[in-house]
Amino acid sequence: MKNTDKIIEINHISKSFGDKCILNDISLFVKRGEFLTLLGPSGCGKTTLLRILAGFGSADSGTVLINGEDITNVPPHERPVNTVFQRYALFPHLDVYENIAFGLKLQKVPEEEIDRRVRKALRMVSMTDYEDRDVESLSGGQQQRVAIARAIVNQPKVLLLDEPLSALDLKMRKDMQIELKEMHKKLGITFIYVTHDQEEALTLSDTIVVMNEGKIQQIGTPTDIYNEPQNSFVADFIGESNILNGKMVKDRLVEFVGHEFECVDEGFGENVDVDVVVRPEDIYIMNRTEGAQLTAKVKSCTFKGVHYEMFVDTDKGYELMIQDYNAFEPDSEVGLIIRPADIQVMKKERTVNRFEGEIVDENHVKFMEEVFECKPQDKFAAGEKVAVEVNFSKVELIDHPEEGMLSGEVHFLLYKGNHYHLTIKTDDGYKVWVDTNDIWDKGDLVGINIAPKDIKIVKCND
């Protein structure tokens, strides 16, 4: 019996181009009539996944089902989906009416039926007075409406939209977001939308799928994604965040920025390292210190149109971002309060660099394709497989890549209140995580050195 609630099921889809993995074992389902957004940075795999859904690309493995039917190998024109691309791909030699009617004529739909459906689609996108217009005379927003009308006139069960608003200016993009949401309600069909714009995803979606490096990071409602991020990537990518190292003292009590706070989280254990997220709008700031949980000095105050954005240095040397409707002048002493429900505690994804290694001799170990000098050891024999651990703060980065034992690129960075946590991708594709006080930018090329005393060798299963 078919599940009538799920219109699309994506099962274990993987895709690589050469040796680069674009999609890594992706599984998700889409409910009938849902507005689902695939959200992530450029290169995360969201457009590749949409193309596989549309039939314009094939997966290396996995299946795609629509209405319970396996359509993995069905050609695009036989799938019950239509796609609106980033570039609208309208026919410049045809007017608006003919552009919308084009697909129906190919299907040899009777003229009366074509006319009825085209006029209905024009009404849907508020373009009833434009049917005779040359498409090249239309604005970007109008062309986008025509592209959507051409897609919906075929009565697809699913409408796929690949960053359809990216070519529009900011005001038109905002207007079209509202119109798209209304159109979705009117049509009652399933929308799958691709964007890298977090605000757009939060505005439009019933469900957001956050992707990064070919993997799903989190699936949830806009509220869940914003208020309950599951890892530091999601917390950093969706809106502004203070992301800080913390320690779960016990259930409902967490320590961060040098203070203990009551929270609502449970089940992490006691004295366990965690990541803590506090949104800048959730920190209550006041011009007195009595009754405050911590005190701080304002570093900067910038008006952002709706609110003021302030950076403060806390009494324990941490920097926090705060957003408030009131301005607090630089150098002023302030008190801060954070309510338990506004503290989001997350499991740490990692606490140390850990690599697969092999003993070369008592003074050398090989990992990440390179032989490193290590402290003299006699526990392991030459050729033995081991694990190598290096603390984040013990990895040295240098400006000149050629001067390092390894070289790589700054791939991702997080500010943790009093230091930066960087992800470095080496030339051979390994990831190294680094805690540093130095300021680096994404894309910087770096050399990597690790001192012998900072390399810890342990059994593989430890």
Side-chain angles (χ1 to χ4, degrees):
M1 185 176 174
K2 293 178 184 177
N3 187 328
T4 56
D5 187 42
K6 298 177 185 177
I7 189 167
I8 292 176
E9 295 174 71
I10 297 167
N11 301 312
H12 304 291
I13 290 289
S14 293
K15 178 70 177 180
S16 295
F17 292 110
D19 59 357
K20 184 172 176 58
C21 180
I22 305 299
L23 295 172
N24 187 351
D25 195 26
I26 297 291
S27 293
L28 64 97
F29 65 86
V30 186
K31 294 179 182 177
R32 195 173 302 280
E34 186 173 32
F35 196 125
L36 181 137
T37 297
L38 301 174
L39 172 67
S42 297
C44 72
K46 56 190 185 293
T47 293
T48 301
L49 182 58
L50 196 81
R51 288 180 61 83
I52 288 170
L53 267 174
F56 299 127
S58 59
D60 297 333
S61 60
T63 58
V64 177
L65 280 69
I66 295 184
N67 279 329
E69 303 292 335
D70 188 342
I71 54 117
T72 308
N73 299 312
V74 173
H77 65 277
E78 293 181 15
R79 299 187 180 202
V81 304
N82 268 87
T83 308
V84 178
F85 297 100
Q86 187 173 347
R87 300 184 184 282
Y88 309 133
L90 300 176
F91 300 116
H93 62 287
L94 300 179
D95 62 22
V96 167
Y97 185 101
E98 292 298 327
N99 259 281
I100 297 170
F102 184 81
L104 298 178
K105 289 184 175 180
L106 281 183
Q107 298 171 35
K108 296 186 170 30
V109 174
E111 283 293 333
E112 287 185 8
E113 176 68 6
I114 291 176
D115 189 64
R116 185 186 69 79
R117 284 163 64 173
V118 169
R119 293 189 185 283
K120 182 179 178 182
L122 284 165
R123 286 196 301 275
M124 279 281 187
V125 297
S126 303
M127 293 284 287
T128 50
D129 296 329
Y130 291 81
E131 60 188 73
D132 298 324
R133 291 278 291 272
D134 180 347
V135 293
E136 293 192 322
S137 71
L138 302 178
S139 69
Q142 290 166 341
Q143 289 184 1
Q144 200 246 15
R145 290 191 189 99
V146 174
I148 291 173
R150 188 175 63 182
I152 64 178
V153 78
N154 292 306
Q155 300 174 336
K157 291 182 170 63
V158 179
L159 188 63
L160 308 177
L161 301 108
D162 186 9
E163 304 212 41
L165 308 185
S166 61
L168 308 180
D169 63 48
L170 180 61
K171 184 179 185 308
M172 192 176 291
R173 199 158 65 238
K174 299 281 189 189
D175 292 342
M176 284 306 302
Q177 286 174 12
I178 295 168
E179 290 193 29
L180 267 178
K181 193 149 185 149
E182 287 301 311
M183 211 177 294
H184 175 250
K185 287 180 183 175
K186 285 182 193 174
L187 290 168
I189 63 175
T190 305
F191 277 32
I192 299 180
Y193 192 91
V194 162
T195 185
H196 63 271
D197 187 315
Q198 303 95 316
E199 184 182 345
E200 195 166 273
L202 293 169
T203 300
L204 292 172
S205 314
D206 298 318
T207 299
I208 298 174
V209 178
V210 184
M211 297 180 64
N212 188 40
E213 297 187 337
K215 293 184 178 180
I216 292 174
Q217 301 294 313
Q218 187 171 350
I219 301 175
T221 65
T223 304
D224 289 341
I225 295 289
Y226 188 83
N227 290 330
E228 302 285 336
Q230 289 181 357
N231 59 43
S232 55
F233 172 81
V234 176
D236 182 65
F237 190 71
I238 306 292
E240 303 284 2
S241 296
N242 294 290
I243 305 174
L244 307 151
N245 287 337
K247 189 176 288 289
M248 201 70 189
V249 180
K250 60 181 181 179
D251 283 353
R252 297 177 173 267
L253 187 67
V254 64
E255 182 271 326
F256 61 98
V257 296
H259 293 265
E260 290 186 353
F261 297 83
E262 292 182 6
C263 63
V264 298
D265 297 274
E266 298 179 337
F268 287 84
E270 295 187 359
N271 297 314
V272 174
D273 289 331
V274 293
D275 278 327
V276 175
V277 177
V278 183
R279 296 290 185 182
E281 69 271 21
D282 289 334
I283 301 176
Y284 180 67
I285 181 171
M286 51 191 180
N287 55 15
R288 66 180 192 277
T289 56
E290 312 88 67
Q293 291 169 310
L294 60 158
T295 58
K297 178 180 279 191
V298 178
K299 287 176 62 178
S300 65
C301 179
T302 307
F303 183 55
K304 291 290 188 175
V306 176
H307 59 260
Y308 292 89
E309 183 174 274
M310 289 157 283
F311 286 90
V312 304
D313 281 334
T314 73
D315 49 12
K316 300 292 185 180
Y318 289 84
E319 183 182 76
L320 298 175
M321 177 196 288
I322 300 174
Q323 293 171 349
D324 197 89
Y325 294 118
N326 300 303
F328 293 79
E329 293 303 315
D331 295 325
S332 59
E333 296 285 338
V334 294
L336 306 178
I337 293 175
I338 308 173
R339 298 180 304 172
D342 293 328
I343 297 169
Q344 170 66 19
V345 179
M346 307 182 300
K347 288 183 178 179
K348 271 199 175 296
E349 296 170 77
R350 66 198 75 86
T351 56
V352 68
N353 286 298
R354 188 177 174 96
F355 309 103
E356 293 180 359
E358 182 180 322
I359 297 296
V360 177
D361 56 40
E362 64 179 12
N363 294 306
H364 296 87
V365 61
K366 183 176 181 180
F367 61 101
M368 292 193 292
E369 314 295 332
E370 185 62 56
V371 176
F372 288 80
E373 184 181 352
C374 60
K375 292 183 295 186
Q377 61 80 32
D378 55 10
K379 292 182 181 178
F380 304 100
E384 191 170 347
K385 302 296 183 184
V386 293
V388 177
E389 294 183 350
V390 182
N391 287 337
F392 302 142
S393 60
K394 300 302 183 181
V395 179
E396 179 192 7
L397 299 182
I398 50 181
D399 284 313
H400 304 290
E402 66 277 5
E403 295 178 7
M405 287 287 292
L406 298 170
S407 57
E409 179 181 323
V410 178
H411 187 62
F412 182 64
L413 63 162
L414 278 176
Y415 184 54
K416 304 296 285 284
N418 65 350
H419 70 277
Y420 293 90
H421 183 68
L422 309 183
T423 304
I424 310 297
K425 188 172 278 189
T426 73
D427 294 343
D428 290 315
Y430 293 93
K431 285 184 180 178
V432 182
W433 288 278
V434 183
D435 282 345
T436 178
N437 291 316
D438 297 330
I439 298 174
W440 299 90
D441 291 320
K442 184 176 180 180
D444 282 350
L445 300 179
V446 296
I448 302 167
N449 284 329
I450 304 170
K453 64 183 177 61
D454 296 322
I455 294 174
K456 182 180 179 182
I457 301 172
V458 297
K459 291 181 180 178
C460 288
N461 54 0
D462 281 3

